[in-house]
Amino acid sequence: MSEMLEFVTEVVEKIYKDLITKETVDLLEEGKWATTLWQQLVDNELLKVAITEQYGGANGDIADLLALYQLTGYYAVPAPVLEHTLANFILEYVRLTPFESITTISFNDKQMLTMTNGKLDGNIPNVPWARSAQQLVTFAQEGEVLKLIAVGLAQASIVQATNLAAEPRDTVSFQQAEIIAQTEINEQQLQKLIKYTTAAKLAALSGALDKAFQLSVRYSKEREQFGRPIHRFQLVQQHLANLAGEAAIATAAIENMAGALVNETERYEVAFTSIRLDEASKIVATSAHQVHAAIGVTYEHSLQHYTRRLWAWREEGLTTHYWQKQLADDLLQVENVWSWMTTK
Amino acid sequence: MKLPVVHFTQEQEQFRLEVRAFLQRHLKEGTFRTKCDSWLSGSDPVFSKLVAEQGWIGMTWPQEYGGGERSTIERYILTEEFLAAGAPVAAHWFADRQTGPLLLRFGTEEQRQLFLPKIIRGDCFFAIGLSEPNSGSDLASVRTKAEKVEGGWLVNGAKTWTSNAHDAHYMVTLVRTAPYDQVSKHSGLSQLIIDLHAPGVTITPIPYLTGERHFNDVFFENVFVPDAMVVGTIGNGWTQGLAELAFERSGPERILSTFPLLNELIIELKQAYDTVGLATASKLLAEMWSLRNLSIGVAQVLEEGGEVAIPAALVKSIGTKFEQKIPEIARLLVATYPRLQAERAFDRYMAESILHAPGFTIRGGTSEVLYGIVAKGVVAQ
């Protein structure tokens, strides 16, 4: 990360720290838009960091974005920061123009939208923040050709729904909708886009995971039972050690994956990170709730904002199920697994 | 806990291929046979001599003692390749991993001159004398006593669970040089180098679950140890010992003890064109990859002289659980009848893995002790 982007990350974190509390995340549950937060990010031009200077950005790369998404997860940011910035990053990647107004993105392994004579038809479920966004970036099939498109959401019919964490995940339907921008993409680009979007989700997930760990440590120091803080009990220590281990593994996995994506050496890092963080989510959510005991399973404590995100996010986009199948196919072609994993 | 990301250089990649070619050649020639947990159960002084001839024992140590002055990362690569191939490295393992670094850090010049070149040539092996009867993980309770006498120390007591003492020439032994103090249990401990062929030393085997000999009881009856064989400062044994533990806990040997089985599992699944099995096996590879990231990160911090006690304890506790998990997943994916004498490699590696696995989470600090270290560390932050 460049010095400027390091600075940007610090500023973003400061805004999150100041503006995001348990109460502001709770507002999301009531369907309220985080007006102040979004305005601050727009005013400080923080949503542009990963786009090029040409469009007023800071030329950030995917690793910079992933660092931002870790923060997004860590603070359970109740706004489409990830979706908007990733959509624009990807538009530039395929040489389309990024948007100023709120943009969202949806990539699934099943292609549901079709284009005929330049018009879009079909529907996609679980589109993040569709109700608040002006544009959607996604794939569409036109005959034999796969396209990356941007389409206006004003023409869509939107049925509101949420994920396990009460984040907006709407069903979006199009009927003969006009496309704003489109470009044909090849297999190589498709693979890259799939990896970028999975990596983005995993980075956010690792942030939420780290927060659940930090909350557990804090709680174990505050909460007393049988006359002493609970972190003094060996069985609680075992939970804390497991949490620390999973958090360290997740951080290292994200760093290594980010490095591989930036250096264009990615082979299996996204798949491995997905599989390992899936496991980590399970362990962390379980142990964090066990340490917090009854308070943790109520709306009263903020732990739920993070564990519910872990459970929601691990099922979104391309999931571990998909990546395991990919690896199985790869392994059939691999001559020697040790060399495959250790030699360039 | 943030650890550095290590990208191997061209030269390091090249070195890996060099080590791999050496191992493949000797596998083909029948110098050794692949085995799970080879770093503890595969002691072969002849093979250690071959490794020494390559300059691969003490490869990070200063040239003035015959070392290679190569980086910790290169040693990491070497270690990984040996473990992946299941090569018999136990004979020189402890001297290479622990004794050398200990002497370089705390030993006298005379001790370095005396031992390091011999270790590097593959002529001198060390055992590590920590545990005692009734003091497994609680090293502060060590009772083996060294009393000051003219020109040296007189040692009485016993060590147990001492790996490879029967093949070793010397043992770095943790002893009490001041009376046991209930209040400050860590004081009064010292490290002595004991010649295992000295009068008064008795070594008896404790057979392992496989029936093989790795462990030993070592008894000391009025064993004389000259002053020149004291490592570091009298009374500083606890601190010196702790410094060793980081090297002991975070290496690839805490991840790859059962790798030969995992490799064989994937070979079997591929032959059966079992994509569902391969999808499950890919979870094990993801675990291995993520642990390697952590473990290599720790190696890099060690290279830079940083503090790694807590991440090293983490790597050991998670890594050894992973090593144990491999046979339990593998046996559900491919049918097996585990037998140490089996012709089929999968069955043989399975037998070795099952019988060795309970030890992984015990040796070098039990998981329970490590959980305590990690938890205290994160609570203190």
Side-chain angles (χ1 to χ4, degrees):
Chain A
M1 193 184 290
S2 72
E3 242 172 67
M4 185 170 86
L5 285 156
E6 210 164 303
F7 171 73
V8 168
T9 314
E10 271 171 38
V11 176
V12 170
E13 183 162 26
K14 194 181 173 314
I15 291 178
Y16 288 169
K17 222 180 230 169
D18 290 348
L19 296 179
I20 302 173
T21 60
K22 177 175 179 290
E23 289 66 35
T24 51
V25 182
D26 284 342
L27 287 179
L28 180 67
E29 313 250 335
E30 298 160 22
K32 293 200 176 127
W33 176 250
T35 316
T36 323
L37 173 68
W38 194 260
Q39 206 50 53
Q40 281 266 352
L41 294 171
V42 171
D43 292 349
N44 290 289
E45 306 210 313
L46 293 167
L47 298 174
K48 291 184 175 178
V49 289
I51 58 178
T52 57
E53 279 170 9
Q54 189 189 343
Y55 298 105
N59 277 333
D61 58 28
I62 186 72
D64 302 320
L65 276 183
L66 296 183
L68 280 179
Y69 298 161
Q70 281 182 292
L71 288 177
T72 304
Y74 191 87
Y75 287 91
V77 174
V81 173
L82 182 151
E83 289 78 8
H84 178 78
T85 52
L86 184 67
N88 280 334
F89 178 77
I90 279 173
L91 286 174
E92 282 213 280
Y93 175 76
V94 298
R95 298 181 193 288
L96 295 175
T97 310
F99 295 100
E100 289 270 347
S101 57
I102 305 173
T103 306
T104 188
I105 184 166
S106 176
F107 282 179
N108 284 303
D109 54 341
K110 288 193 184 58
Q111 214 37 64
M112 283 165 261
L113 298 180
T114 52
M115 273 171 71
T116 31
N117 303 325
K119 300 280 167 81
L120 187 68
D121 287 292
N123 59 73
I124 338 179
N126 308 325
V127 178
W129 297 93
R131 68 191 72 166
S132 313
Q134 267 81 59
Q135 298 82 217
L136 166 68
V137 170
T138 189
F139 295 124
Q141 194 77 36
E142 184 169 41
E144 293 294 298
V145 177
L146 186 67
K147 289 189 162 175
L148 187 100
I149 58 159
V151 56
L153 284 164
Q155 320 163 67
S157 74
I158 294 173
V159 177
Q160 296 197 359
T162 60
N163 66 11
L164 283 178
E167 294 179 301
R169 295 293 185 266
D170 305 331
T171 299
V172 177
S173 309
F174 297 100
Q175 228 179 347
Q176 293 290 298
E178 297 282 345
I179 309 287
I180 303 172
Q182 55 170 301
T183 184
E184 192 177 324
I185 51 172
N186 58 33
E187 183 56 30
Q188 207 185 342
Q189 287 173 309
L190 174 67
Q191 290 311 319
K192 203 61 162 282
L193 294 178
I194 282 174
K195 283 177 175 173
Y196 284 157
T197 48
T198 303
K201 174 190 77 172
L202 293 171
L205 192 142
S206 81
L209 196 144
D210 197 31
K211 184 63 166 277
F213 159 54
Q214 299 294 348
L215 288 173
S216 304
V217 173
R218 195 198 300 165
Y219 188 75
S220 78
K221 289 154 86 168
E222 291 165 0
R223 177 69 175 160
E224 291 193 1
Q225 289 273 270
F226 310 105
R228 49 183 177 155
I230 60 169
H231 73 77
R232 300 265 304 274
F233 294 92
Q234 275 195 339
L235 290 172
V236 175
Q237 290 185 340
Q238 183 166 345
H239 282 302
L240 294 177
N242 284 337
L243 288 162
E246 296 305 302
I249 288 254
T251 309
I254 296 289
E255 291 267 313
N256 278 274
M257 176 184 74
L261 285 170
V262 164
N263 298 328
E264 308 266 338
T265 56
E266 204 284 336
R267 292 190 297 164
Y268 41 59
E269 287 83 355
V270 172
F272 281 160
T273 304
S274 174
I275 294 171
R276 191 57 187 83
L277 261 57
D278 196 284
E279 180 74 8
S281 304
K282 181 179 76 186
I283 298 171
V284 166
T286 307
S287 273
H289 274 293
Q290 201 63 21
V291 168
H292 281 81
I295 189 72
V297 291
T298 65
Y299 260 66
E300 219 172 297
H301 198 281
S302 59
L303 178 67
Q304 48 101 359
H305 283 316
Y306 303 94
T307 53
R308 285 196 297 146
R309 275 167 175 73
L310 291 179
W311 293 317
W313 292 348
R314 66 180 182 173
E315 309 299 357
E316 295 185 343
L318 293 169
T319 62
T320 295
H321 174 77
Y322 169 89
W323 292 110
Q324 269 181 240
K325 279 171 69 177
Q326 287 287 116
L327 282 175
D329 290 345
D330 289 353
L331 282 170
L332 282 175
Q333 313 301 323
V334 164
E335 199 167 319
N336 177 304
V337 73
W338 179 251
S339 320
W340 176 65
M341 287 189 67
T342 54
T343 322
K344 271 185 204 158
Chain B
M1 196 171 326
K2 196 125 175 178
L3 293 164
V5 176
V6 176
H7 300 286
F8 296 121
T9 63
Q10 277 289 316
E11 292 73 33
Q12 288 166 344
E13 299 274 356
Q14 199 49 44
F15 176 61
R16 184 186 287 284
L17 296 179
E18 191 190 321
V19 178
R20 194 171 289 168
F22 167 85
L23 289 166
Q24 287 310 319
R25 190 171 76 242
H26 284 290
L27 260 178
K28 205 177 270 176
E29 289 171 4
T31 317
F32 72 92
R33 188 157 92 150
T34 298
K35 201 175 178 193
C36 287
D37 206 23
S38 62
W39 66 273
L40 202 75
S41 69
S43 177
D44 180 355
V46 177
F47 184 75
S48 288
K49 191 77 189 163
L50 291 172
V51 176
E53 281 164 13
Q54 298 291 318
W56 293 342
I57 300 180
M59 65 182 281
T60 61
W61 307 348
Q63 278 177 3
E64 53 178 310
Y65 308 111
E69 286 189 15
R70 302 179 81 154
S71 70
T72 308
I73 299 299
E74 278 166 298
R75 185 176 175 279
Y76 191 97
I77 290 170
L78 178 83
T79 310
E80 276 197 316
E81 290 298 317
F82 279 171
L83 295 166
V89 287
H92 67 267
W93 192 265
F94 303 100
D96 182 61
R97 182 179 75 183
Q98 267 157 284
T99 315
L102 177 76
L103 294 181
L104 284 167
R105 195 159 168 193
F106 297 107
T108 63
E109 189 51 37
E110 191 193 343
Q111 288 165 353
R112 292 179 195 150
Q113 297 282 2
L114 182 61
F115 294 113
L116 298 184
K118 278 200 280 188
I119 293 173
I120 286 166
R121 286 198 305 269
D123 291 335
C124 177
F125 307 138
F126 272 76
I128 308 293
L130 293 172
S131 290
E132 294 188 0
N134 303 318
S135 77
S137 289
D138 179 15
L139 287 181
S141 72
V142 157
R143 297 295 171 105
T144 293
K145 198 168 62 175
E147 280 176 294
K148 190 72 190 97
V149 291
E150 176 73 35
W153 300 80
L154 212 54
V155 178
N156 280 284
K159 291 288 171 182
T160 191
W161 316 128
T162 314
S163 301
N164 242 41
H166 56 295
D167 274 339
H169 306 93
Y170 296 92
M171 177 160 84
V172 176
T173 317
L174 189 67
V175 297
R176 213 158 259 295
T177 41
Y180 181 78
D181 178 352
Q182 192 69 35
V183 185
S184 70
K185 291 186 285 190
H186 297 161
S187 66
L189 289 165
S190 306
Q191 288 179 302
L192 305 182
I193 297 172
I194 299 184
D195 180 347
L196 292 173
H197 299 107
V201 178
T202 315
I203 302 174
T204 58
I206 311 172
Y208 197 68
L209 293 179
T210 52
E212 293 166 293
R213 181 179 191 178
H214 318 304
F215 283 151
N216 297 275
D217 276 319
V218 184
F219 301 98
F220 307 106
E221 205 185 333
N222 292 322
V223 178
F224 177 75
V225 180
D227 282 326
M229 290 296 112
V230 172
V231 181
T233 315
I234 286 292
N236 193 37
W238 181 259
T239 316
Q240 292 170 200
L242 282 189
E244 268 177 77
L245 288 178
F247 286 94
E248 177 178 344
R249 284 181 175 158
S250 62
E253 66 267 41
R254 306 301 180 176
I255 299 170
L256 297 174
S257 300
T258 50
F259 178 78
L261 176 65
L262 177 54
N263 186 49
E264 198 62 28
L265 168 70
I266 287 164
I267 292 172
E268 294 261 353
L269 291 169
K270 275 168 55 185
Q271 278 168 1
Y273 212 81
D274 180 353
T275 48
V276 176
L278 284 170
T280 305
S282 71
K283 284 167 83 167
L284 295 172
L285 296 178
E287 278 192 63
M288 183 171 111
W289 173 79
S290 64
L291 272 161
R292 269 187 90 215
N293 292 340
L294 215 56
S295 168
I296 298 169
V298 174
Q300 180 64 35
V301 179
L302 271 177
E303 169 95 10
E304 293 157 6
E307 177 52 49
V308 292
I310 294 168
L314 266 182
V315 170
K316 184 184 183 295
S317 64
I318 308 173
T320 52
K321 264 196 283 184
F322 166 69
E323 294 178 326
Q324 284 177 337
K325 195 176 179 180
I326 291 173
E328 289 308 316
I329 303 277
R331 57 178 284 281
L332 299 177
L333 297 178
V334 172
T336 179
Y337 187 79
R339 235 159 40 92
L340 288 169
Q341 310 80 5
E343 268 308 303
R344 183 191 178 209
F346 189 75
D347 293 339
R348 199 168 64 244
Y349 299 154
M350 183 63 77
E352 289 161 357
S353 298
I354 291 171
L355 294 175
H356 280 268
F360 301 164
T361 47
I362 296 169
R363 61 192 185 195
T366 62
S367 300
E368 289 70 17
V369 165
L370 300 173
Y371 293 148
I373 293 171
V374 174
K376 280 178 195 145
V378 296
V379 165
Q381 271 168 14

